[in-house]
Amino acid sequence: MNQVQTHSLLTDFDIELFKAGKHFRLYEKLGAHLTEVNGVKGVYFAVWAPSARSVSVVGDFNFWVQGEHQLNVRWDSSGIWEGFIPGVDKGTTYKYKIQSNNGGIITEKADPFALYCEHPPHTASVIWDLDYKWKDTKWMETRKDKNGLDKPYSVYEVHLGSWKRNNEGKFLTYIELADELVSYVKETGFTHVEFMPVMEYPYDPSWGYQLVGYFAPTSRFGKPQDFMLLVDKLHQAGIGVILDWVPSHFPDDAHGLGFFDGSNLYEHPDRRKGYHPDWKSLVFNYGRNEVRSFLISNAIFWLKNYHVDGLRVDAVASMLYLDYSRKDGEWEPNIFGGRENLDTISFLKDFNEAVYLEFPDVQTIAEESTSFPMVSRPTFIGGLGFGMKWMMGWMHDTLQYFQKESVYRRFHQNDLTFSMTYAFTENFMLPLSHDEVVYGKKSILGRMTGDEWQKFANLRLLYGYMFTHPGTKLLFMGSEFGQSTEWNFEGSLDWHLIQFGYHDGIKKCITDLNALYKTYPALFEKQFSVDGFEWINYSDHENAVLSYVRKGNNEKDNLIIVCNFTPVVRGNYRIGLPSKGKLTEIFNSDKVEYGGSGVTNSKAIKIDKQSWNYRDYSAEVVLPPLGVSVFKIS
């Protein structure tokens, strides 16, 4: 006898929106919801499975027996099965047992809308709620001032499982991270943290990029409310939170979204579009309206229910191109004969429009590695609508340059100057991310050349150049203190290194660079505008020196930056300047406290009425070895 009562949270309008790909609150209707019907407490279940012959809820409340609690299919051809089960309570584990019309295949699936999941390797969903008393009102009311494109935006990228482990080598919990991580990020001065995917995933070596529980923070570190506490504490400390979001692909684990109801429900049925050869995973069917509703609802869910301040969208390039990682014959052109995935383009525009319509004070950030145009331009002028895009070209060229011995750098100045030819075509974020410290690439420190002193000097120079280059910043955990080895997701960062002078010096340098970035408007007010940057001299390749001006809204805020990419001290180095007055050095990466040699401009420097670098004024400064100096005119 079926013990499921007829009940629905869905209206006809909900179904219309769902079918049209415009239902962006789907998590309020589908999934498992604690509720009360006719005075009886229980759970309302709803799941999309249009190719199912029957759908039963199985769990520890019915000893996982199929058929005892069978849901009812809606009459409106939506493919949604639903019903109310009395007596089921919070904390109950469950799955959907689905018998398909397609040959009678029976699958046992986790709930795509589950709010909480069992700890892997267990795979069941858990009945849960989102009750939590937030204490971040001040942040939420003022975060537009923290997230704006004309504000300092310095991101600390974190993998929660390996940032730090406890004395037994086990994960820190969300609650423990709410103390240790929050205080550390505040100390080092980053404006935001970015978490590599926190949504539930079955396989640790995927780093979280193979998701099965899109609406559930992973149970590895605690309960959903514990993750809310972590976000809340970050906000109370004045730190924004960005989540990695993965709408590009998903794994084919038996309990996941793949072949959900015995058909290609979430994935594209054409293998050329529905399977990712690099990651051996499934690709969403972006042309199916119900799938679009699922994905955009998921984005809105994290922004609304977890107070998230931004979404970094993973692997956008793999979504945009039909021939991505595919050989000739393994892909089919679009209707215009091109390689662009038109369904993806339409989906990404819808996603960004939906996010910014409801949350104009957040940012969406694209990890997009190609020259696809107008990624971070508004949709109404033909762009994809993202707030920012990763500047992968800058990352590649810059790291390539820093791996060259200083004696050869004069032949490769273009590796550094080339970025300015396209720096303002998008709203670029400069990333030194987790992808740059794995798979034999070495750590960021490990890529620097020279002896030990020169390696650390080069690293401080790299960071100084990065923080004074136009664009927002992203740095992967460990890089801020000069982690020596590659990142290992199975262990903790090498925190013991900070006791050594050079590593502590890198941390102090990053802390001061974050303070510099946040203090001086010239470094952020026009970070995406050509008006915010001007070369002084980019052609002194013989000395491997670059000099440039960063500009704010007020001319008096302008900063002068000079980078010396060789270990040679250059005294009496003359640079052209835009006005008279005095130069005061406000940052020098060669400070002794950073582990440098102490070659600084300790006194104010008089600006001469002597033309230089095509300017009417100039001054002589001392350039530290492998160092960057930042000056203010007064």
Side-chain angles (χ1 to χ4, degrees), residues 158-400:
V158 175
H159 178 261
L160 289 174
S162 59
W163 179 72
K164 185 180 286 188
R165 299 282 180 97
N166 64 20
N167 293 333
E168 298 175 352
K170 295 180 180 179
F171 297 137
L172 296 186
T173 65
Y174 293 127
I175 294 174
E176 290 169 331
L177 288 161
D179 288 329
E180 296 198 40
L181 178 63
V182 172
S183 62
Y184 183 78
V185 175
K186 188 171 183 179
E187 175 195 349
T188 48
F190 291 92
T191 66
H192 293 70
V193 293
E194 178 183 318
F195 293 132
M196 292 166 67
V198 299
M199 302 80 178
E200 194 59 81
Y201 56 98
Y203 188 51
D204 283 347
S206 77
W207 310 336
Y209 289 98
Q210 299 271 11
L211 306 180
V212 292
Y214 271 77
F215 291 83
T218 178
S219 56
R220 286 168 174 81
F221 316 114
K223 297 178 174 62
Q225 281 76 9
D226 298 338
F227 181 62
M228 292 178 181
L229 175 68
L230 173 56
V231 175
D232 203 354
K233 291 287 189 179
L234 283 162
H235 283 172
Q236 291 175 51
I239 300 162
V241 179
I242 305 163
L243 297 187
D244 269 12
W245 187 54
V246 191
S248 49
H249 64 116
F250 58 93
D252 60 0
D253 291 61
H255 66 293
L257 297 178
F259 211 58
F260 188 80
D261 61 354
S263 72
N264 301 118
L265 188 62
Y266 288 91
E267 68 270 26
H268 200 287
D270 186 339
R271 189 80 167 172
R272 295 172 295 182
K273 297 180 182 178
Y275 179 75
H276 200 295
D278 283 356
W279 304 312
K280 296 178 174 52
S281 54
L282 304 175
V283 179
F284 285 104
N285 185 354
Y286 305 108
R288 188 164 192 169
N289 285 339
E290 295 90 343
V291 173
R292 293 162 79 107
S293 287
F294 170 80
L295 287 172
I296 297 176
S297 290
N298 184 244
I300 298 295
F301 171 83
W302 291 100
L303 295 166
K304 178 176 175 59
N305 292 286
Y306 284 87
H307 290 200
V308 169
D309 306 293
L311 296 172
R312 176 265 193 186
V313 183
D314 183 62
V316 172
S318 75
M319 300 168 64
L320 286 172
Y321 294 103
L322 296 165
D323 62 345
Y324 187 91
S325 287
R326 293 176 173 86
K327 300 175 184 177
D328 291 344
E330 295 178 349
W331 64 283
E332 183 181 44
N334 62 37
I335 58 173
F336 302 110
R339 54 195 284 257
E340 298 81 12
N341 189 324
L342 303 181
D343 288 336
T344 293
I345 293 170
S346 172
F347 161 71
L348 290 174
K349 289 181 178 181
D350 280 358
F351 152 71
N352 279 309
E353 287 175 356
V355 166
Y356 282 112
L357 178 64
E358 183 157 358
F359 304 98
D361 54 353
V362 305
Q363 293 295 340
T364 62
I365 305 163
E367 188 221 359
E368 204 288 306
S369 56
T370 74
S371 58
F372 192 93
M374 301 178 70
V375 171
S376 58
R377 295 294 179 257
T379 58
F380 62 80
I381 61 170
L384 293 183
F386 284 94
M388 289 179 249
K389 169 182 171 174
W390 276 19
M391 197 176 192
M392 307 294 277
W394 172 89
M395 176 275 298
H396 177 270
D397 291 345
T398 301
L399 290 179
Q400 181 173 272

Side-chain angles (χ1 to χ4, degrees), residues 23 64 97-98 103 107 113 218 241 269 278 291 335 371 381 414 416 418 426 436 490 521 556 567 605 622:
H23 200 311
W64 301 89
K97 196 90 168 184
I98 301 172
T107 59
F113 288 86
T218 178
V241 179
D278 283 356
V291 173
I335 58 173
S371 58
I381 61 170
N414 184 59
L416 297 180
F418 182 67
E426 300 276 5
E436 309 318 315
E490 295 181 296
K556 64 180 179 62
I605 301 165
V622 176

